[in-house]
Amino acid sequence: MKIAIIIFDKFTDIDLFLMWDLLNRVRVADWEVKILGENANHVSATGISVQTHGRIEEANDADAVLFVSGQGTRAKMIDKEWLSRFQLNPEKQFIGSICSGSLLLAALGLLENKTATTYPTTKAALENFGVEVIEKPFVAHDKIATAGGCLAQQYLIGWVIENLAGKDWRELVLKSIQPVGEGLFFADAENLTRLYAPKIQTAEV
Amino acid sequence: MKIAIIIFDKFTDIDLFLMWDLLNRVRVADWEVKILGENANHVSATGISVQTHGRIEEANDADAVLFVSGQGTRAKMIDKEWLSRFQLNPEKQFIGSICSGSLLLAALGLLENKTATTYPTTKAALENFGVEVIEKPFVAHDKIATAGGCLAQQYLIGWVIENLAGKDWRELVLKSIQPVGEGLFFADAENLTRLYAPKIQTAEV
């Protein structure tokens, strides 16, 4: 399974790193998560420089494609050259966004005639694309989903993991980040070690 | 206010980047957050390379010092040279940890005769330091606090922000990452813009 996370300059840190960390807890064979961008490095809204693992075209044959959020979405949603590099297929690929990443799904024509959610400060911008924006943390239509509010990544990534790795992995991964005594317990220790085992290597061709 | 986040190789991504992102939402004068390490770069458990903003000695005059977690804590908790570089003062500084970062507080002698919390998989290791470990998301004793479970960073960082910037900033910052419709609402949009305004510059000396 190939999962692509799309970043760009001025992304919101937590909206990349929460999904990145959660997705990297899954231990199934050939599970590959890559951060993709148009450059070798992108710099977050707070100045964190992150190396990408490949270019954005790699998203076109991924099993899931996730768009992060941040101030940078406003430049990218009108960057026709950048948008034209995506040839996504919502019949075959799971496609999702967190917060203002929904603006990029809309700009790619993926939210036509669909309801969606986004961050409060980008509701109006998403409505400008003709999208009906609803006040929910997570809105899925078949293989396209939007999530709003950073911690709603739990719904979005849970959806991706359940579809690509199964319900057990969804439950264990989401449990593993809960506060102790509030969803995660000391008695879970043994089960958690599955998440931090060495990665299962991708088979050599 | 100076806030130091201590990292090392093999840190857990979300345990750095959630606190980093939250702390960077505060807009008060002279609010400075730095990621400190013994090297110019440290690599997370999943392979993310992060540039540090300074060396660990800078923590010794910070207003708050926060230790992240990850596999790397097991090497650092027995690294006498590394530990000796900290001269922290729990009478003056707020000092905290997330998950296995508690092992570093214990190794520095900061948890003597105190209860604490940690991640389920490091409960036994923390008990080996003679610490009574309790199943709570957040345990504070005066200016020393431990949090367990990644999302318990909300308690830890809320505590830091409330003490250094006030209760209003705590509430607004924590609200800003909640799922839409579950703690964060479209009607909050105007108030949220305070968090994403340009930083208030530190006064030139």
Side-chain angles (χ1 to χ4, degrees), chain B:
Chain B
M1 290 296 168
K2 291 184 184 176
I3 298 151
I5 303 176
I6 309 298
I7 68 168
F8 34 78
D9 287 330
K10 296 190 183 174
F11 68 86
T12 297
D13 300 79
I14 192 59
D15 287 344
L16 167 60
F17 290 111
L18 178 51
M19 63 170 75
W20 165 258
D21 189 315
L22 290 173
L23 289 165
N24 273 286
R25 292 175 190 228
V26 175
R27 292 288 179 277
V28 299
D30 297 322
W31 183 264
E32 185 184 70
V33 189
K34 285 190 177 183
I35 299 171
L36 305 178
E38 63 183 326
N39 300 330
N41 288 274
H42 284 289
V43 179
S44 79
T46 65
I48 298 287
S49 178
V50 176
Q51 290 172 22
T52 53
H53 303 120
R55 295 295 78 76
I56 54 179
E57 287 80 358
E58 285 192 41
N60 296 332
D61 69 350
D63 297 287
V65 183
L66 299 165
F67 289 83
V68 306
S69 77
Q71 285 184 325
T73 53
R74 278 54 143 205
K76 287 301 157 205
M77 74 183 189
I78 54 171
D79 182 341
K80 290 195 192 308
E81 189 278 325
W82 188 82
L83 293 167
S84 73
R85 293 165 70 179
F86 292 98
Q87 303 292 330
L88 303 182
N89 183 345
E91 306 267 306
K92 293 185 175 177
Q93 300 176 288
F94 290 90
I95 302 170
S97 63
I98 180 68
C99 295
S100 64
S102 59
L103 298 173
L104 305 176
L105 293 198
L108 288 166
L110 295 165
L111 297 182
E112 277 172 27
N113 303 314
K114 290 187 174 61
T115 56
T117 188
T118 190
Y119 200 66
T121 52
T122 50
K123 176 174 181 272
L126 187 57
E127 286 171 340
N128 282 344
F129 281 98
V131 177
E132 184 190 344
V133 182
I134 55 178
E135 196 167 41
K136 288 190 174 176
F138 179 68
V139 179
H141 298 285
D142 298 322
K143 291 189 162 185
I144 295 182
T146 52
C150 310
L151 294 183
Q153 283 173 83
Q154 293 173 92
Y155 297 106
L156 176 67
I157 302 306
W159 173 78
V160 171
I161 292 176
E162 181 167 343
N163 277 290
L164 299 185
K167 200 169 179 180
D168 284 355
W169 280 106
R170 175 197 179 125
E171 287 178 7
L172 184 58
V173 168
L174 293 182
K175 174 190 271 278
S176 74
I177 62 161
Q178 301 308 311
V180 165
E182 298 178 358
L184 178 65
F185 300 91
F186 288 151
D188 293 315
E190 197 175 347
N191 212 12
L192 291 171
T193 59
R194 290 167 61 201
L195 300 171
Y196 308 109
K199 281 202 170 188
I200 298 169
Q201 293 301 312
T202 299
E204 295 286 337
V205 177

Side-chain angles (χ1 to χ4, degrees), chain A residues 4-8 10-20 22-23 65-74 95-106 111 116-123 126 136-139 144-160, chain B residues 21 25 176-180 184 186 196:
Chain A
I5 303 176
I6 309 298
I7 69 168
F8 34 78
K10 296 190 183 173
F11 67 87
T12 297
D13 301 78
I14 191 59
D15 287 344
L16 168 60
F17 290 112
L18 179 51
M19 63 169 77
W20 166 260
L22 290 172
L23 289 165
V65 182
L66 299 166
F67 289 83
V68 305
S69 78
Q71 286 184 325
T73 53
R74 277 56 142 203
I95 302 170
S97 63
I98 181 66
C99 296
S100 64
S102 59
L103 298 173
L104 304 175
L105 295 197
L111 297 182
T117 188
T118 190
Y119 200 66
T121 52
T122 49
K123 176 173 181 272
L126 187 56
K136 287 190 175 177
F138 179 68
V139 179
I144 296 181
T146 53
C150 310
L151 295 182
Q153 284 173 83
Q154 293 173 91
Y155 296 105
L156 176 67
I157 302 306
W159 173 77
V160 170
Chain B
D21 189 315
R25 292 175 190 228
S176 74
I177 62 161
Q178 301 308 311
V180 165
L184 178 65
F186 288 151
Y196 308 109

Side-chain angles (χ1 to χ4, degrees), chain A residues 103 122-133:
Chain A
L103 298 173
T122 49
K123 176 173 181 272
L126 187 56
E127 286 172 339
N128 281 343
F129 280 99
V131 176
E132 185 192 341
V133 182

Side-chain angles (χ1 to χ4, degrees), chain A residues 1-7 19 23 32-36 55-56 58-67 86 88 93-94 96:
Chain A
M1 290 297 170
K2 290 183 184 176
I3 298 151
I5 303 176
I6 309 298
I7 69 168
M19 63 169 77
L23 289 165
E32 185 183 71
V33 189
K34 285 189 177 182
I35 298 171
L36 305 179
R55 295 295 78 74
I56 53 180
E58 285 192 41
N60 296 331
D61 69 351
D63 298 286
V65 182
L66 299 166
F67 289 83
F86 291 98
L88 303 182
Q93 300 176 289
F94 289 91

